[in-house]
Amino acid sequence: SGHYGRGATGGFLERLDRGPVIGDGGFVFALEKRGYVEAGPWTPEAVIEHPEAVKQLHREYLRAGSDVCQAFTFYASEDKLKNRGHSAGSHGVMEINQAACDIVKEVTYPEGGLVAGGVSQTPSYITTRDKALVQAEVRKQCEIFKKNEVDLMICEYYEHVEEAEWHVEAVKDYMPGVPVCASLCINEDTDVHGVPTGECGVKLARAGADVIGINCHYDPFRCLDAVKKMIKYVKAAGFDKVHFMIQPLAYMTPDASVQGFIDLPEFPFALEPRICTRWEMQRYAREAYEAGIRFIGGCCGFEPYHIRALSEELSAERGGFEPASGMIGWGKCLEKHTKPWVRARASKEYWQNLKPGTGRPYSSSLSKCDQWGITAGHELVHQHEEETGEAELKKGLDFKKRLAQQGSN
């Protein structure tokens, strides 16, 4: 184990059998805030253009207690890198994935962590729903992960369970023997095509996923409700060896609709008032563990201090592991503060019962979502390599106006 004190050994599935495994946080959002990722495309060319920034973020998640570090390859399918005139296509999937693997292996392995490769939903699916085309994109990405002998694969961020099934099948076929995780970015009810969430879990198990769950789009507690449904249905279907995972947003989203926080008017540049506190993260970690979920991490909005909160809450279950970044101990460190009223906050009782204010007296607590009701197959979600043109932008604005008129009638 490295100097961060990580004592766990063995392969990914063996670690899950023994107890909780902590993942990392959301790289695209964290690096966008730091100025290294472009909002909109959300692609990972920073591994080539700003490798030190990516390396430092891996280090910070490791110090906070991550057991698994995922190569920063989110949205690195060839069709996504070239989508709508995006310049990342000049690098290509092979170069990006290799750079990402080089960085994560260099930082993670000396500390006793595991390295995950990752694939996610593709523009090809929502434009064509052509299985052969979609799986070809997956195999192209997996070539580098197979060459680098990653410890596990994470197929994540799917609005449609059908695409996730295709990805799992392709990864299992191309990388036999490598554990495969599969997580959907759906709510507690259905995927975007109306397939019930519990049934989605069963479909992923049948496709061969070793670990099943939910990531992104919703807050920790809505994601928990969704994974609990998956657990119930998957176990009822007889898949006793399947493990479960959860990697939610760090934003509270009780008002998010079928496509999650993307439908919120604050997405993506005004979400800060919704950020979960570290104490809410500790509650999430405890509830996830008690629900039987063993791979516990985060997605967009998760910063290293959020991962530290998960690590701290589950320290005993991880053999007394303490993150290198230190234990907050429910604010015990505040005993050293100069002000007596701040020292009086050095207790679990204080922080567990706090109802934080937003500092915005005229702000509403909930928002009205954009609910356009369109998904794979609709002309407005077709993707292409050309830049988004004025005519296409106008079509979208006209569609929005028609929705507004219908709502006022």
Side-chain angles (χ1 to χ4, degrees):
S1 65
H3 67 273
Y4 297 158
R6 191 169 282 95
T9 57
F12 176 60
L13 297 179
E14 289 78 12
R15 294 191 193 196
L16 289 177
D17 287 338
R18 284 201 303 271
V21 172
I22 302 297
D24 55 12
F27 269 67
V28 286
F29 263 53
L31 289 171
E32 191 279 329
K33 285 178 171 60
R34 290 158 171 78
Y36 300 108
V37 162
E38 183 182 1
W42 306 111
T43 47
E45 60 272 19
V47 295
I48 293 170
E49 297 172 5
H50 305 286
E52 282 305 316
V54 178
K55 196 177 294 186
Q56 178 61 22
L57 192 54
H58 279 306
R59 284 195 193 103
E60 290 179 21
Y61 284 125
L62 275 164
R63 290 190 77 245
S66 294
D67 297 306
V68 173
C69 286
Q70 188 172 343
F72 181 35
T73 59
F74 181 75
Y75 264 166
S77 61
E78 202 80 67
D79 54 353
K80 178 63 175 170
L81 295 174
K82 295 176 179 177
N83 198 40
R84 298 185 176 275
H86 187 32
S87 61
S90 64
H91 295 301
V93 62
M94 301 297 184
E95 189 182 356
I96 285 176
N97 283 9
Q98 186 57 58
C101 285
D102 289 343
I103 291 169
V104 71
K105 286 162 66 177
E106 177 188 336
V107 177
T108 305
Y109 283 147
E111 310 308 333
L114 297 175
V115 167
V119 295
S120 49
Q121 66 182 11
T122 61
S124 293
Y125 177 80
I126 58 172
T127 305
T128 70
R129 291 186 74 179
D130 182 321
K131 184 174 183 178
L133 191 64
V134 169
Q135 290 190 325
E137 289 287 349
V138 175
R139 282 191 291 273
K140 206 181 296 179
Q141 293 174 80
C142 286
E143 190 174 322
I144 296 296
F145 298 132
K146 185 173 183 176
K147 176 184 166 188
N148 282 269
E149 299 181 336
V150 295
D151 300 297
L152 63 143
M153 285 294 295
I154 299 177
C155 303
E156 64 178 354
Y157 195 75
Y158 302 96
E159 296 167 310
H160 313 88
V161 69
E162 180 179 60
E163 184 178 12
E165 291 176 86
W166 294 355
H167 283 220
V168 170
E169 290 168 4
V171 174
K172 294 292 282 189
D173 178 62
Y174 192 76
M175 300 176 69
V178 177
V180 176
C181 304
S183 61
L184 309 179
C185 53
I186 66 173
N187 62 27
E188 57 273 27
D189 297 321
T190 70
D191 79 348
V192 175
H193 279 161
V195 181
T197 299
E199 191 181 318
C200 286
V202 176
K203 285 177 176 289
L204 294 175
R206 288 198 178 121
D210 301 288
V211 185
I212 291 165
I214 298 288
N215 82 293
C216 207
H217 275 204
Y218 298 93
D219 65 54
F221 304 101
R222 289 191 68 181
C223 286
L224 269 170
D225 288 342
V227 180
K228 286 175 183 176
K229 281 193 178 177
M230 287 184 163
I231 292 172
K232 179 181 175 182
Y233 278 75
V234 169
K235 287 189 179 299
F239 293 97
D240 298 327
K241 293 187 177 179
V242 166
H243 276 289
F244 296 91
M245 68 182 292
I246 183 167
Q247 294 185 318
L249 296 176
Y251 305 107
M252 287 299 195
T253 60
D255 45 346
S257 55
V258 70
Q259 293 199 343
F261 77 146
I262 291 173
D263 288 345
L264 294 173
E266 300 94 341
F267 175 87
F269 297 128
L271 289 162
E272 284 79 3
R274 295 173 175 265
I275 293 175
C276 296
T277 68
R278 62 191 77 201
W279 316 114
E280 288 162 336
M281 290 302 185
Q282 289 199 211
R283 178 161 69 90
Y284 145 62
R286 177 57 52 195
E287 291 184 16
Y289 181 79
E290 289 177 354
I293 302 167
R294 291 295 176 264
F295 188 20
I296 302 170
C299 201
C300 298
F302 260 75
E303 290 285 340
Y305 76 93
H306 290 124
I307 295 298
R308 178 170 60 173
L310 310 188
S311 299
E312 185 161 350
E313 179 62 32
L314 298 174
S315 176
E317 288 78 7
R318 297 168 79 205
F321 171 79
E322 294 187 7
S325 45
M327 299 279 274
I328 298 299
W330 291 101
K332 185 171 174 58
C333 50
L334 297 180
E335 292 174 0
K336 301 173 185 174
H337 202 278
T338 54
K339 302 294 188 285
W341 57 90
V342 178
R343 292 197 297 271
R345 299 171 190 162
S347 72
K348 181 176 181 178
E349 182 184 16
Y350 177 85
W351 293 109
Q352 262 193 331
N353 294 306
L354 180 71
K355 298 288 185 287
T358 66
R360 292 174 172 80
Y362 304 107
S363 174
S364 61
S365 59
L366 303 175
S367 293
K368 183 174 171 56
C369 286
D370 285 325
Q371 297 191 62
W372 286 27
I374 60 175
T375 181
H378 193 284
E379 66 165 335
L380 286 176
V381 297
H382 283 189
Q383 305 301 311
H384 45 74
E385 291 187 16
E386 301 76 35
E387 290 185 21
T388 306
E390 289 296 325
E392 190 174 6
L393 286 171
K394 185 176 185 303
K395 271 187 185 178
L397 291 171
D398 290 345
F399 189 88
K400 184 175 182 176
K401 285 176 187 173
R402 287 198 301 275
L403 284 178
Q405 287 166 357
Q406 289 167 12
S408 62
N409 292 339

